[in-house]
Amino acid sequence: MVYPPTLSTHPNASVTTRIAVLASGAGTNAEALLGAASRGELGDAEVVVLASDRDGCGALAAARRAGIEALFLDPAGPGAGGDRDAYGRVLVAALRERQVDLVCLAGFMRILSAGFIAAYEARVLNIHPALLPAFPGAHAVADALAWGVKVTGTTVHFADEAVDHGPIVAQACVPVLEGDDEASLHERIKAVEHRLYPEAIRLVVEGRTATAGRRVLITAAPVARR
Ligand code: GRF
C-alpha cells in the first residue's frame, strides 16, 4: 500500500502539496518547517496555515513572523464545546476550507479524534521526542532519562488513532550525556528534529513512501499512487 494513498484531497488539485502545521508550544519545530518550506526543502509544498489550540503560543508567533496564517482554534469555543470529537470536526472544517493535503503535527498537545484521523487518513505526520515504541506519551524525554537509557532520539511517524503509534517514517539517535537534565536533553533532541522532520516530510511530499504492514519503505523514485 502506498502511504499516503494520495496527497490530493480537493477538487482542482494543484500539484503543490498544501500543508497545515498543528502546534501548541514553543514552536521551534514549526519554525524549522516554515524555514524549510520557504527554502523549498519540503519539495513541491507550501505551508498554508499554522493552527493551534493554545492562544498566544510561540508557534503562532513563529507563523506570524513568517507571514503564514496563524489560526487559533479554541477547544472550548463555538462548535467545539470542550469535546474531542467536536473539536476534531472544527479542525477538519478549517483545514478543508484551506484545501489542506497533509497535516504535520509539531508539538500539538491534544489527542486527535478518530474522525479527524479518518478524514485525513494516512495524511497526518507526527514527531515524537523518543525512539518509538520506547517512551510514548507526553513525558518522553523525562521518561527516557528516568529509565537510564544511554541513547534516545526522535521519531517521525504517520499518526493513527492510537497515540504515538503509527508507521515510522524516520528516526534519529541522540546520546544521553552524564550531566543531562530534561531541558538539556530535549534541546539536543530538538536540534536533531529540526533537520529530520523536514527530510521526512519531503519524502512524503515526493511520494517516496509506501507501507508494508507497519514498515514504511522509502523508495528512490515516486511510488505510483493507487
Ligand atoms: C518536540 O520535541 C516534539 O517532538 C514534541 O513536542 C516538542 C515540540 O517542541 N512532539 P517545539 O514546540 O517544536 O519547540
Side-chain angles (χ1 to χ4, degrees), residues 82-107:
D83 172 78
R84 181 181 300 164
D85 292 332
Y87 189 57
R89 287 192 289 276
V90 168
L91 281 172
V92 167
L95 301 190
R96 286 207 168 132
E97 198 180 312
R98 290 159 180 81
Q99 301 186 329
V100 165
D101 304 302
L102 180 67
V103 180
C104 297
L105 307 177

Side-chain angles (χ1 to χ4, degrees), residues 46-221:
E46 64 174 317
V47 178
V48 294
V49 63
L50 185 140
S52 180
D53 60 335
R54 288 206 192 142
D55 204 7
C57 71
L60 285 170
R64 285 190 203 100
R65 281 197 301 277
I68 302 295
E69 184 187 7
L71 181 67
F72 167 56
L73 292 172
D74 188 351
D83 172 78
R84 181 181 300 164
D85 292 332
Y87 189 57
R89 287 192 289 276
V90 168
L91 281 172
V92 167
L95 301 190
R96 286 207 168 132
E97 198 180 312
R98 290 159 180 81
Q99 301 186 329
V100 165
D101 304 302
L102 180 67
V103 180
C104 297
L105 307 177
F108 190 63
M109 300 307 288
R110 192 164 287 274
I111 297 173
L112 293 168
S113 67
F116 182 97
I117 294 292
Y120 277 93
E121 192 192 354
R123 294 183 188 86
V124 185
L125 286 169
N126 183 41
I127 187 157
H128 180 76
L131 295 173
L132 291 173
F135 311 119
H139 309 289
V141 180
D143 291 347
L145 261 181
W147 195 262
V149 296
K150 300 297 186 192
V151 176
T152 183
T154 180
T155 302
V156 179
H157 65 95
F158 287 107
D160 61 16
E161 279 186 43
V163 174
D164 300 330
H165 175 269
I168 291 170
V169 179
Q171 290 185 302
C173 296
V174 175
V176 179
L177 305 181
E178 293 293 320
D180 264 336
D181 57 17
E182 183 181 355
S184 64
L185 180 55
H186 202 172
E187 193 180 322
R188 288 206 315 290
I189 291 172
K190 284 191 188 188
V192 174
E193 291 184 325
H194 299 163
R195 172 185 58 77
L196 187 73
Y197 207 5
E199 287 175 7
I201 292 170
R202 183 178 190 128
L203 291 173
V204 174
V205 165
E206 290 181 342
R208 293 173 52 200
T209 56
T211 52
R214 280 201 52 89
R215 294 184 66 198
V216 177
L217 309 176
I218 308 296
T219 62

